[in-house]
Amino acid sequence: MWQDLLAALALVFVLEGILPFANPGAVRRALKAIDDLNDGQLRGVGLASMLLGLLLLFAVKHWP
């Protein structure tokens, strides 16, 4: 189980690093736009991201 968790974490790092490596200017602009969001909007984005991740995980685990 720990190996799977660490493999998933490693994959998150790889995926998170692709955009800054490929297009650092776009990442800077996105981070500036995120800074302009209020707390409620940012929480909404976080909640939507978590729900999407849970749905994707459920779909992958229960795929026929």
Side-chain angles (χ1 to χ4, degrees):
M1 177 180 156
W2 284 107
Q3 282 183 320
D4 291 338
L5 183 61
L6 290 175
L9 184 60
L11 187 56
V12 167
F13 281 119
V14 170
L15 293 174
E16 289 283 333
I18 290 172
L19 233 85
F21 178 77
N23 196 347
V27 172
R28 260 193 205 92
R29 288 189 299 277
L31 290 174
K32 286 179 184 176
I34 290 171
D35 190 42
D36 291 339
L37 296 176
N38 65 42
D39 287 350
Q41 291 171 316
L42 195 52
R43 282 190 178 106
V45 170
L47 178 62
S49 177
M50 289 188 299
L51 291 174
L52 181 62
L54 285 172
L55 286 172
L56 183 59
L57 183 60
F58 181 81
V60 167
K61 290 292 188 174
H62 294 88
W63 197 265

